[in-house]
């Protein structure tokens, strides 16, 4: 039987690494929280967005990070749902001029929680 409190702590740690990887532009840290076959999709300003993990990491590598641009860190976990060895996290990721919300699907693989799918959208407030 899984310990849901321990799983929540482990998932929170993965999400904090995800946020920090985005904020400082650390593609190795980001790579460590994603499954290699992860897929990213959603919309940005109403336009469809589809990327493999490698395409996403290439984009992060080739841009200035929010940290380099002097942005304030404002990313947060809104919720985490866990069922057995799967989980979904809803996060708020305000970076650059975007107000992103991500739905991250995670799986417990070989004893580690990893992000297997990222759905994202930009919300005008």
């Amino acid at each position: 039987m899984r310990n849901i409190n321990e799983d929540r702590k482990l998932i929170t740690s993965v999400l904090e690494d995800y946020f920090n990887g985005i904020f400082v532009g650390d593609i190795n840290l980001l790579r460590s929280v994603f499954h290699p076959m992860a897929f990213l999709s959603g919309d940005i300003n109403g336009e469809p967005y589809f990327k493999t993990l490698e395409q996403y990491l290439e984009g992060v590598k080739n841009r200035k990070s929010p940290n380099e641009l002097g942005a304030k860190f404002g990313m947060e976990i809104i919720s985490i749902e866990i069922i057995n060895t799967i989980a979904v996290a809803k996060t708020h990721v305000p970076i650059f001029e975007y107000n992103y919300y991500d739905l991250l699907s995670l799986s417990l693989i070989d004893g580690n929680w990893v992000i297997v799918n990222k759905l994202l959208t930009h919300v005008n407030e």
Side-chain angles (χ1 to χ4, degrees), residues 30-40 51-55 57 109 114-116:
L30 285 170
R31 189 182 309 280
S32 76
V33 299
F34 279 94
H35 186 276
M37 294 179 66
F39 190 70
L40 299 83
K51 297 220 184 230
T52 65
L53 176 61
E54 290 307 314
Q55 289 170 326
L57 294 175
I109 300 175
V114 292
I115 300 167
V116 295

Side-chain angles (χ1 to χ4, degrees), residues 51-71:
K51 297 220 184 230
T52 65
L53 176 61
E54 290 307 314
Q55 289 170 326
Y56 170 69
L57 294 175
E58 189 67 22
V60 171
K61 183 173 101 175
N62 291 318
R63 66 157 165 81
K64 287 202 177 268
S65 73
N67 186 54
E68 289 175 296
L69 296 172

Side-chain angles (χ1 to χ4, degrees), residues 46-115:
E47 294 297 316
Y49 176 98
F50 297 97
K51 297 220 184 230
T52 65
L53 176 61
E54 290 307 314
Q55 289 170 326
Y56 170 69
L57 294 175
E58 189 67 22
V60 171
K61 183 173 101 175
N62 291 318
R63 66 157 165 81
K64 287 202 177 268
S65 73
N67 186 54
E68 289 175 296
L69 296 172
K72 179 182 169 198
F73 186 95
M75 300 174 208
E76 64 180 332
I77 299 168
I78 296 170
S79 66
I80 300 172
E81 288 281 330
I82 304 167
I83 305 171
N84 295 325
T85 61
I86 63 169
V88 175
K90 181 178 179 182
T91 65
H92 183 211
V93 184
I95 60 168
F96 306 119
E97 70 275 10
Y98 296 101
N99 184 39
Y100 290 117
Y101 284 87
D102 295 347
L103 298 177
L104 304 167
S105 300
L106 298 99
S107 289
L108 185 64
I109 300 175
D110 297 327
N112 296 308
W113 286 99
V114 292
I115 300 167

